[in-house]
């Protein structure tokens, strides 16, 4: 049973480009969470999605960031017009159900904006 | 707003020494607290989860204590080994309906052979 998969593992973008980060949850999991880890900081919650629904995006910047979890395929975190401050590690976690279920984390995507 | 702090940020010990890692949180109304291990370039692995009604949890050489009233948790790792070198993160949840983990910045541990 494969764990949470994220790709790419490393992503380099120039300022103004778009970044697309993908997350495939564990088999059977329909709840996905995205967290961001800035250098020297803890992980910060960004968004919680279920299949085809955004449940809570309170931690996501209002502009340039969007997330989706379609009926088929992985969850996507999209960052438009990236800036240097977007450089961080982005982690995805999944759970079988919602609240208080154990979240299993992927290896993360390290985004570097030049 | 919950603030989670981990001190020290880094720790280096010789092999065999016991490790003591600290985590403090500002809002004592937590539902549970988790300790994770993060290896470089890898994801997070859950080590121990303590419910708010519990005082401690143990798994092998790991023991985590929780004092809600003082807003503190301590992770003890007995007889450290080089393989214990990693970053250790603590995270709390607020209530039974909460799914957001609030993380500390972590303590990076190096165990010298």
């Amino acid at each position: 049973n494969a764990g949470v998969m994220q790709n790419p593992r490393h992503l380099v973008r120039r300022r103004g480009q778009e970044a697309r980060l993908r997350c495939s949850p564990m088999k059977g999991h329909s709840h996905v969470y995205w967290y961001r880890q800035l250098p020297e900081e803890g992980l910060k919650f960004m968004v919680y999605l279920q299949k085809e629904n955004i449940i809570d995006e309170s931690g996501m910047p209002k502009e340039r960031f969007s997330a989706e979890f379609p009926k088929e395929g992985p969850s996507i975190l999209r960052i438009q017009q990236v800036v240097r401050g977007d450089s961080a590690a982005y982690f995805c976690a999944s759970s079988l159900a919602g609240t208080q279920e154990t979240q299993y984390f992927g290896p993360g995507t390290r985004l570097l904006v030049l | 707003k919950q603030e989670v702090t981990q001190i020290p940020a880094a720790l280096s010990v010789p092999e065999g020494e016991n490790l003591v890692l600290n985590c403090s949180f500002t809002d004592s109304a937590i539902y549970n607290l988790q300790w994770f291990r993060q290896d470089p370039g890898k994801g997070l692995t859950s080590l121990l989860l303590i419910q708010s009604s519990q005082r401690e949890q143990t798994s092998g050489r790991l023991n985590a204590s929780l004092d809600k009233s003082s807003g503190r948790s301590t992770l003890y790792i007995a007889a450290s080994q080089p393989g214990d070198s990693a970053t250790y993160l603590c995270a709390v949840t607020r209530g039974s309906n909460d799914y957001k983990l609030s993380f500390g910045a972590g303590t990076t541990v190096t165990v010298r052979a």
Side-chain angles (χ1 to χ4, degrees):
Chain A
N1 184 15
V4 178
M5 312 269 289
Q6 288 188 250
N7 67 80
R9 298 287 302 275
H10 299 273
L11 183 61
V12 179
R13 285 287 179 265
R14 296 192 181 279
R15 282 177 295 170
Q17 291 184 320
E18 178 180 288
R20 280 182 176 244
L21 287 62
R22 294 175 183 77
C23 169
S24 297
M26 286 181 69
K27 187 176 181 180
H29 287 192
S30 59
H31 299 250
V32 166
Y33 316 81
W34 285 92
Y35 292 82
R36 178 166 67 173
Q37 185 178 34
L38 294 169
E40 308 303 323
E41 293 187 19
L43 281 74
K44 297 284 196 294
F45 169 82
M46 297 181 74
V47 61
Y48 165 32
L49 309 103
Q50 292 181 32
K51 283 285 187 181
E52 301 184 277
N53 287 304
I54 297 175
I55 306 302
D56 181 353
E57 56 183 349
S58 60
M60 205 148 70
K62 295 289 187 288
E63 298 179 354
R64 303 187 296 108
F65 285 72
S66 62
E68 63 177 11
F69 189 15
K71 187 177 179 181
E72 301 291 337
S75 175
I76 306 285
L77 179 67
R78 183 182 177 205
I79 311 172
Q80 295 179 288
Q81 299 176 329
V82 296
V83 301
R84 287 212 173 115
D86 297 332
S87 296
Y90 293 81
F91 289 93
C92 166
S94 73
S95 67
L96 187 61
T99 57
Q100 293 311 314
E101 282 285 324
T102 300
Q103 295 180 23
Y104 295 86
F105 282 80
T109 294
R110 272 80 183 164
L111 172 66
L112 175 62
V113 180
L114 301 176
Chain B
K1 181 187 171 188
Q2 180 71 272
E3 298 285 343
V4 182
T5 304
Q6 292 185 248
I7 295 174
L11 188 60
S12 178
V13 300
E15 183 177 4
E17 192 166 298
N18 296 332
L19 283 163
V20 181
L21 308 179
N22 299 302
C23 172
S24 61
F25 43 94
T26 53
D27 186 351
S28 62
I30 64 167
Y31 186 73
N32 64 39
L33 182 145
Q34 267 187 284
W35 282 94
F36 290 87
R37 170 181 171 139
Q38 183 178 20
D39 292 283
K42 298 190 178 178
L44 281 65
T45 302
S46 180
L47 297 174
L48 291 167
L49 184 149
I50 312 176
Q51 299 287 355
S52 61
S53 58
Q54 297 175 316
R55 298 286 284 183
E56 67 176 342
Q57 278 285 350
T58 298
S59 175
R61 293 185 295 113
L62 275 60
N63 174 276
S65 66
L66 175 63
D67 184 341
K68 265 188 62 175
S69 60
S70 67
R72 293 184 183 183
S73 176
T74 302
L75 177 67
Y76 300 89
I77 303 177
S80 61
Q81 304 167 0
D84 295 327
S85 298
T87 296
Y88 292 84
L89 303 168
C90 70
V92 300
T93 55
R94 189 179 51 195
S96 59
N97 292 321
D98 192 18
Y99 40 80
K100 299 177 191 176
L101 294 169
S102 296
F103 283 87
T107 295
T108 299
V109 170
T110 302
V111 180
R112 308 186 302 271

